[in-house]
Amino acid sequence: MAPTGLPLHRWNFDEVPFYSWRDQLPVILAAGIKHVSFTFGMPDEAGFRLLKEHHVLLMGTATSVEEATVLASAGTDVVIAQGIEAGGHRGSFLSGNLPQTGTFALVPQIADRVHVPIIAAGGIMDGRGVAAAKMLGAAGVQLGSLFLRAHESLATSAHKAALADITDTDTLLTRAVSGRWARGVRNTLITEIEASGLPINEYPYQDALTQPIRRVAKELDNPAFVNMWAGQAAGKARTWSTADIFAELVRETALIFNK
């Protein structure tokens, strides 16, 4: 599957350090971190208790109302409601099924069930989205795709260029790259893995298997073999500085609420 010109790498799983969240807790606490977010699941009761004892504010990702209620009941301080529009990895964790609720259907339903602040994530690209999320019960918003083409973005130039002409239907959900469901732009890497008929490993093993080719492709700025995560509205990403993007977002939102 390696394209011509890309050196092959014999992968050794021992090269990849896998750390559980339990391994990371002592580091977080020693560093005095006071805000911790988690996805793909949540700490167990002992983990919650330890973090709470150190007065850490906890934020967890939910892709369904059920996940949100579980997070809130366990002691999560803030729930991030991730809609199906969002780019990158899905935060789903309760079952093998993939919740596919959109952000603006998910937020009000979670708001009706939990009594902690909610952050809306997925498909929000301008002041209209921010205003809509707040009107539906969100205390804040989380944006990613909006900043993918920013001057400071570490996305490759090929990734940024691919987003210039993207439409609402040009992204897909796939497990091919990492073993977990994630939304991004279809390319050769995804197409060939999915067409191979080979079983896709669970995360993080699939992620480790595709890392070598992704690393080299990124160095060569070859968009065919890198993961180009992006949300359904990524075509609205702006090629400005992050400061200017944020300032415009604030201005657009203020105009709506001050009408």
Side-chain angles (χ1 to χ4, degrees):
M1 190 174 65
T4 302
L6 290 189
L8 293 175
H9 175 75
R10 188 176 297 280
W11 191 248
N12 180 357
F13 278 106
D14 292 335
E15 297 176 13
V16 183
F18 296 134
Y19 299 106
S20 77
W21 61 266
R22 293 181 180 85
D23 297 325
Q24 298 174 55
L25 286 187
V27 179
I28 290 171
L29 298 178
I33 303 299
K34 293 301 180 184
H35 298 80
V36 171
S37 64
F38 42 87
T39 188
F40 304 168
M42 63 182 190
D44 58 19
E45 184 177 350
F48 269 104
R49 184 169 59 251
L50 180 61
L51 290 165
K52 290 290 187 178
E53 288 173 353
H54 287 78
H55 308 289
V56 177
L57 184 136
L58 303 176
M59 298 170 280
T61 302
T63 61
S64 68
V65 174
E66 184 183 10
E67 289 176 348
T69 56
V70 169
L71 288 169
S73 298
T76 307
D77 300 296
V78 178
V79 169
I80 300 167
Q82 184 191 40
I84 196 66
E85 307 94 330
H89 284 96
R90 305 292 297 149
S92 308
F93 65 92
L94 277 188
S95 68
N97 296 324
L98 179 69
Q100 299 190 44
T101 309
T103 304
F104 296 112
L106 184 60
V107 168
Q109 293 183 77
I110 291 178
D112 289 343
R113 293 285 299 277
V114 305
H115 302 289
V116 298
I118 299 165
I119 296 177
I124 301 171
M125 300 293 285
D126 55 29
R128 294 173 297 179
V130 176
K134 289 182 66 66
M135 292 177 68
L136 290 171
V141 295
Q142 179 175 297
L143 301 91
S145 295
L146 177 63
F147 295 94
L148 281 173
R149 300 182 70 202
H151 301 332
E152 298 89 345
S153 170
L154 294 180
T156 65
S157 58
H159 188 171
K160 292 180 179 182
L163 300 181
D165 301 314
I166 202 171
T167 71
D168 57 318
T169 59
D170 286 334
T171 65
L172 80 162
L173 288 167
T174 182
R175 292 182 57 242
V177 177
S178 71
R180 283 195 63 93
W181 288 108
R183 179 177 295 281
V185 182
R186 179 180 287 279
N187 61 4
T188 304
L189 177 65
I190 294 172
T191 299
E192 291 299 321
I193 291 177
E194 291 185 344
S196 71
L198 295 172
I200 294 176
N201 296 280
E202 294 297 320
Y203 176 88
Y205 301 107
Q206 183 73 11
D207 185 66
L209 286 170
T210 63
Q211 275 184 24
I213 195 170
R214 288 187 284 133
R215 182 188 303 116
V216 176
K218 184 175 182 180
E219 292 171 355
L220 299 177
D221 202 16
N222 183 340
F225 292 88
V226 294
N227 49 293
M228 296 189 290
W229 301 143
Q232 287 182 331
K236 292 176 65 62
R238 295 164 176 168
T239 56
W240 306 348
S241 71
T242 54
D244 287 342
I245 293 173
F246 191 82
E248 179 65 8
L249 195 64
V250 172
R251 187 193 68 81
E252 291 172 348
T253 306
L255 282 175
I256 293 173
F257 284 112
N258 292 332
K259 284 183 178 179

